[in-house]
Amino acid sequence: MFSNTTSFAVLFILSCSLLKAQDSLGFFNQYRNQYHAERTLKSQLYCNPASMSDYSAVSFSEFGAGYHSEQKDIYRQQLGAGEQGLEIYARSFQKLNSRRAVWGKAGYESLKQLKLKWNENLDFDRVAPYVLADSVGGDLKLERYSFAGGYSEKINRFTLGIEASYTAQLGYRSRDPRINNSTSDLWVNLGINYKAFREYEVGVFTRLNKYTQNSSISFVSLLGNPYVYQMVGLGYSNNFFNGGKNAVAFEELGYQVGVQIMNKGGKDFYLHALAGNAKNTKNIQISNPFYESSELSNKQFIFEGAKFFDLNMHHRFGVFAGYAASVKTGTELGYSVNTQFTEQVFQRKAYRKEDYSSTVKLMYQYSTDHFTLNATPFFGHQEIKERRLYPVSGQKFVYNYLGISADVQQRLNENQVLSFSPYFIKRMVDRSISALSSTTNAAINDWIQQEYYFQASGISTFGASLRYDVKPDKLPAFFISTQYQSQKMLQKNNHLIGIRLGITF
């Protein structure tokens, strides 16, 4: 099923790319339009598929492959000590005419996640804290398949847009504990914009999501198996379901609704607001029947606004302000076998995690016929509170972020471009509070304390990428890019390197 989906996606994108491209601007101008830093900063605007109509005035496509290796000396055990893997992808945006546009992407990744521990599930941030866990863990092999496509059309004063995306994952381990995970994640997005006055538009959109994850764990060794935990947060687990080789199923339904106000397709200013909710239900199998063990509700709110100024044809400025809130509430169910049958004896809210963040960004762009510079300094503030009842336990972190990213694009000659993109981010801990309760398991207590020290520490991150593009006569443009990132924390360093090859047309 996965290979057929991916093949269809690649064929769709490549067929779209055969449409005649608008190349009158020259290779350098096409390049900086395709990799425009401002468009990346405005990614929230394009959550509405109707707003994709003004994504670009010309068509472009990219096909490539890359490899990356990440090695961490300090890390959260549930997220692992790094990742190694190969990626193959294709993506395209096609401007069919002044009223219609289509876009799509497809990808395949083969990854190895290193030294995972106390977590045997995929998509940790989505299902935590209700993960299947053991004290051994190990490297996890992961395959990921993704496909997305969309269409927008302008009809008089209206612009309609639709987009669908699908991602599937297979995660497995060939040694004890032998985990087998599969996920399915489907999104359908619908949007409509209305030109209310001159270049001013008002848009509304909705996003619907269906997600599933199925996990099972088995052992081959006859010499003994590690204890299996059904975690419920901050080191605690559900004793009723612990210890077995049970299958676990997560099912999630979610929605998001949003509204946008913009001028000139977001080139002058835009306001974007989104609210949503998702409910993730975990079921655990005992013998044949499945029993619901928890429900995790995630309420979200996102706001972003931006204003742009053109000083002259060479200088452009932008100001961004954003706010995001996520509140996760966990409801847990308890069972008893005191009678002949397994009975539910309680249902209670026992877990809550709140994450609030705000960001201010400044953008400066300088451009000439042969050179473009984009610089974006930013400041952020984040507050995270996590707590559970029965027993009472919790922690709180307040962070400040300071950083800058830049993108330099230089035309070497009429068919060669060199770009350099450095960035720096510093996380400063303003406050950290621990009110963690100890469990009866010493190994779990050590893990929870390590998690707390990790989250209560500052991080300095520096990275950069270098890319070279060349456009031979009568052939697509070729590129090669390299990436390096260094992260320092608690006197230890984490490193990431990557390389990517591809073509653009």
Side-chain angles (χ1 to χ4, degrees):
M1 176 183 66
F2 298 134
S3 59
N4 290 339
T5 301
T6 306
S7 300
F8 173 77
V10 173
L11 290 173
F12 168 79
I13 292 174
L14 294 181
S15 64
C16 289
S17 301
L18 294 176
L19 298 174
K20 184 178 179 181
Q22 302 180 29
D23 56 3
S24 60
L25 297 177
F27 178 57
F28 180 64
N29 283 340
Q30 290 179 22
Y31 174 87
R32 63 181 173 185
N33 172 69
Q34 185 168 351
Y35 303 102
H36 202 295
E38 181 179 319
R39 186 186 293 123
T40 302
L41 290 171
K42 298 192 297 188
S43 59
Q44 286 290 341
L45 180 66
Y46 303 116
C47 291
N48 179 1
S51 298
M52 286 290 293
S53 178
D54 297 311
Y55 188 75
S56 173
V58 296
S59 303
F60 48 78
S61 302
E62 178 181 330
F63 176 79
Y67 174 82
H68 70 273
S69 176
E70 181 183 31
Q71 301 288 338
K72 296 181 179 179
D73 294 331
I74 182 169
Y75 54 93
R76 296 183 64 183
Q77 295 183 52
Q78 289 182 296
L79 299 180
E83 185 178 271
Q84 299 171 350
L86 173 70
E87 175 191 16
I88 302 173
Y89 66 92
R91 49 179 173 247
S92 179
F93 177 85
Q94 296 295 317
K95 196 75 171 178
L96 303 182
N97 53 42
S98 61
R99 296 185 297 111
R100 298 185 181 92
V102 296
W103 60 93
K105 60 182 179 180
Y108 168 76
E109 295 176 82
S110 178
L111 308 171
K112 179 189 284 188
Q113 296 179 339
L114 307 176
K115 299 181 181 179
L116 287 169
K117 193 175 180 180
W118 300 111
N119 172 31
E120 297 290 9
N121 288 113
L122 304 179
D123 299 328
F124 174 78
D125 290 334
R126 191 162 194 165
V127 301
Y130 300 115
V131 297
L132 179 69
D134 62 78
S135 61
V136 177
D139 296 348
L140 183 71
K141 294 181 180 180
L142 176 66
E143 295 184 21
R144 181 180 295 132
Y145 307 79
S146 60
F147 165 73
Y151 173 81
S152 69
E153 180 173 356
K154 295 183 177 181
I155 304 174
N156 298 324
R157 301 173 72 90
F158 292 92
T159 303
L160 308 178
I162 183 171
E163 182 180 42
S165 65
Y166 177 75
T167 301
Q169 299 179 109
L170 295 174
Y172 54 93
R173 187 185 297 122
S174 57
R175 55 181 297 181
D176 290 355
R178 299 169 187 261
I179 191 70
N180 194 328
N181 285 322
S182 63
T183 71
S184 173
D185 193 9
L186 174 66
W187 285 88
V188 177
N189 309 337
L190 302 171
I192 180 170
N193 289 356
Y194 176 70
K195 184 174 289 187
F197 176 71
R198 294 183 180 176
E199 296 296 324
Y200 291 87
E201 287 183 89
V202 177
V204 293
F205 63 96
T206 183
R207 310 178 73 206
L208 306 176
N209 177 230
K210 175 69 167 66
Y211 172 85
T212 61
Q213 179 174 174
N214 294 291
S215 303
S216 62
I217 190 169
S218 61
F219 303 91
V220 173
S221 174
L222 302 177
L223 301 179
N225 305 322
Y227 195 72
V228 178
Y229 300 87
Q230 300 288 348
M231 306 306 296
V232 294
L234 299 177
Y236 290 92
S237 58
N238 190 324
N239 291 326
F240 183 83
F241 294 107
N242 283 349
K245 306 171 187 178
N246 304 326
V248 175
F250 296 91
E251 294 187 2
E252 179 176 309
L253 290 174
Y255 71 90
Q256 295 174 340
V257 292
V259 60
Q260 295 178 336
I261 302 173
M262 70 193 80
N263 186 29
K264 298 179 180 178
K267 294 180 177 63
D268 190 5
F269 86 93
Y270 70 87
L271 298 174
H272 166 92
L274 178 149
N277 190 16
K279 186 175 79 170
N280 190 306
T281 302
K282 179 182 180 181
N283 294 279
I284 302 175
Q285 184 181 28
I286 299 181
S287 298
N288 289 325
F290 276 85
Y291 293 90
E292 182 179 340
S293 65
S294 62
E295 292 180 354
L296 185 64
S297 173
N298 184 11
K299 295 183 179 180
Q300 305 167 339
F301 175 76
I302 297 174
F303 172 81
E304 183 174 275
K307 174 64 178 174
F308 303 95
F309 309 88
D310 290 311
L311 185 60
N312 53 43
M313 62 181 298
H314 298 298
H315 303 275
R316 180 171 170 82
F317 299 88
V319 180
F320 293 78
Y323 174 79
S326 170
V327 178
K328 293 184 177 181
T329 305
T331 301
E332 298 166 12
L333 290 78
Y335 295 87
S336 172
V337 290
N338 293 331
T339 62
Q340 184 178 359
F341 303 99
T342 300
E343 294 181 331
Q344 180 183 326
V345 294
F346 68 81
Q347 179 175 335
R348 63 195 182 191
K349 293 183 178 180
Y351 175 82
R352 185 177 177 90
K353 183 177 182 180
E354 303 170 52
D355 188 341
Y356 307 100
S357 62
S358 55
T359 308
V360 176
K361 301 178 184 179
L362 302 177
M363 185 201 77
Y364 169 69
Q365 176 183 297
Y366 173 75
S367 60
T368 66
D369 292 340
H370 300 82
F371 176 82
T372 298
L373 166 66
N374 289 277
T376 308
F378 61 89
F379 172 80
H381 179 80
Q382 184 180 25
E383 180 177 322
I384 299 175
K385 294 185 289 186
E386 185 178 15
R387 58 189 182 273
R388 67 166 292 106
L389 305 175
Y390 318 111
V392 176
S393 187
Q395 56 189 3
K396 178 179 178 179
F397 306 98
V398 179
Y399 305 119
N400 291 319
Y401 295 87
L402 188 65
I404 186 171
S405 62
D407 184 50
V408 180
Q409 301 171 347
Q410 175 66 59
R411 178 182 183 270
L412 301 180
N413 55 43
E414 64 181 10
N415 64 349
Q416 296 183 66
V417 176
L418 185 69
S419 63
F420 178 61
S421 303
Y423 57 91
F424 173 78
I425 306 170
K426 186 173 182 62
R427 184 180 83 176
M428 299 163 286
V429 181
D430 184 62
R431 190 184 316 162
S432 61
I433 300 174
S434 172
L436 298 171
S437 300
S438 297
T439 71
T440 58
N441 188 312
I444 289 180
N445 290 335
D446 290 342
W447 154 49
I448 294 300
Q449 285 298 321
Q450 291 176 15
E451 290 273 298
Y452 173 77
Y453 291 140
F454 183 96
Q455 296 180 85
S457 302
I459 304 176
S460 296
T461 304
F462 169 78
S465 63
L466 182 67
R467 172 168 167 157
Y468 170 73
D469 288 69
V470 58
K471 174 67 173 70
D473 292 339
K474 299 181 181 180
L475 290 174
F478 296 84
F479 72 84
I480 178 171
S481 67
T482 59
Q483 178 188 6
Y484 174 77
Q485 178 179 287
S486 176
Q487 189 177 76
K488 187 172 184 179
M489 181 181 187
L490 295 174
Q491 306 305 315
K492 295 184 178 181
N493 293 284
N494 301 330
H495 300 281
L496 180 146
I497 58 173
I499 185 170
R500 181 170 292 180
L501 303 170
I503 60 175
T504 59
F505 42 95

